[in-house]
Amino acid sequence: MYPTLELDYNKLLDMVSEMGYRLMKSGAEIYRVEESIQRLLQAYGAPRGEVFAIPNCLMVSLTSPDGRPVTQIRRMPTHGTDIYLLEKYNGLCRRLCRETRLSPDSLIYPIFVDETLRGKRPIEALPGQFHYGLDAVCEAVSDCLAAGVTHCILFGLPREKDAVGSSAWAKHGVVQEAIRAIKAKYPDFYVITDVCMCEYTDHGHCGILCGREVDNDKTLEVLAKTALSHVEAGADMVAPSDMMDGRVAAIRAVLDEHGYETTPIMAYSAKYASAFYGPFRAAAGSAPSFGDRKGYQMDPHNRKEALKECALDEAEGADILMVKPALSYLDVIRECSDAFDLPMCAYSVSGEYAMIKAAGAAGLVDEYRIMCESALSVFRAGANMLITYYAKELAQAIQKGDIG
């Protein structure tokens, strides 16, 4: 073994890099270069390293005895290499060295189901998105699967609304029937359901009112009943988005009591009272008829509060935490991701999507590249999964290698 760790490993990297250079300059085949370097490493008693050779680049990575990675990347002369191949191999090397990885499996597509509709109807506030009738919801799933997306989150638009949102937990409610339709045709497609009252109450608030204020504790019972009805219909996961205190514990208790101990809960943990929700509220018919939601959604000024909310949801039994919106709260995603061991979801909300679509349509930005870069930033910040209206397009971008 070598007497001085840093000096010897650096010398060894220089040596194998020089040997690789000479072999490649002489026209040796790539696999011969890689084999020769491995043999040299073995001869010097170094642990087996990672060797990656392409026509214009050589990368050697070793792990020193104290566990430190030692890597050297050396660019080789191209000697007139065809420019197409040069660009191709540069791209391969860049992808090899990416620090942030994305997969279509980490994307969740929102689907809006309208109980009054047959077929599908474009959503004016969200270009490229649709309302689906119960007879057409499987078309949305088919499109997801064709793009490589295997997860959705359902939002329901009921035929009738009342003060307590009773259609939210109806056995044959819009979301419950949508789940059954999807599972009958695509049993392996993963269905998450949004659990909230705003789409079902005639006042548009996320809970039961006491006068003009939302009664937190009365709302817990109906949220738990709604979540249970979704799971009984076949939902794979429930996602309470109401921001009532104690709702994760209430839902977990009811699900466990009815034998659904393994059904996970994805909590909208740090949900801010944001201006970015406008297009969604138009699409879901869920805007409050008076006041706002600042009494139960978070103040955008607050960062530490997000940590408290995540800690409460973790203690109550949440399986996944969420930050919503995404782009304006990347610092919160990072901090919460670092602080908790649970998977972290982010929701790239309707306003984020609508702005990119509008700027792209006006020719102000490259919509495709902005879409990719925005999603990448969310994962780089620490998210493990992303709810996004661009899920299908992003899955295809990942498959092409443009991101991921």
Side-chain angles (χ1 to χ4, degrees), residues 44 91 132-133 144 155 212 216 235 240 262 283 292 360-361 377 394:
Y44 274 79
Y132 294 90
C144 283
F155 298 94
R212 292 175 68 86
N216 186 97
T262 60
D292 54 40
S377 72
L394 285 168

Side-chain angles (χ1 to χ4, degrees), residues 108-112 129 152-155 347 387-391:
I108 302 167
Y109 183 64
I111 298 176
F112 296 90
Q129 306 302 310
C152 80
I153 183 166
L154 291 180
F155 298 94
Y347 195 147
I387 302 173
T388 170
Y389 302 95
Y390 276 123

Side-chain angles (χ1 to χ4, degrees), residues 11 36 52 67 76 204 210 217 219 238 256 285 321 330 338 373:
K11 278 187 174 180
S36 298
F52 181 73
M76 303 297 175
C210 182
D217 294 349
T219 303
V238 292
D256 291 355
L321 306 175
L330 296 178
D338 287 345
E373 189 174 338

Side-chain angles (χ1 to χ4, degrees), residues 96-113:
L96 178 73
C97 301
R98 283 175 178 169
E99 299 174 27
T100 303
R101 298 292 183 178
L102 286 70
S103 165
D105 292 333
S106 60
L107 302 173
I108 302 167
Y109 183 64
I111 298 176
F112 296 90
V113 188

Side-chain angles (χ1 to χ4, degrees), residues 303-335:
R303 174 182 55 83
K304 293 180 181 178
E305 185 184 357
L307 295 170
K308 294 178 182 178
E309 293 286 358
C310 286
L312 288 170
D313 285 348
E314 180 185 44
E316 291 178 19
D319 300 281
I320 300 170
L321 306 175
M322 187 195 300
V323 173
K324 177 185 179 183
L327 280 182
S328 292
Y329 298 86
L330 296 178
D331 59 322
V332 178
I333 294 172
R334 166 51 59 199
E335 195 142 3

Side-chain angles (χ1 to χ4, degrees), residues 119-174:
K120 68 179 184 179
R121 175 183 64 233
I123 300 175
E124 185 176 350
L126 292 170
Q129 306 302 310
F130 296 87
H131 290 120
Y132 294 90
L134 287 168
D135 62 328
V137 68
C138 285
E139 179 183 338
V141 174
S142 176
D143 291 343
C144 283
L145 290 171
V149 175
T150 55
H151 301 73
C152 80
I153 183 166
L154 291 180
F155 298 94
L157 285 74
R159 186 182 305 275
E160 297 178 356
K161 302 185 180 189
D162 58 32
V164 296
S166 59
S167 59
W169 64 85
K171 182 176 182 180
H172 297 289
V174 58

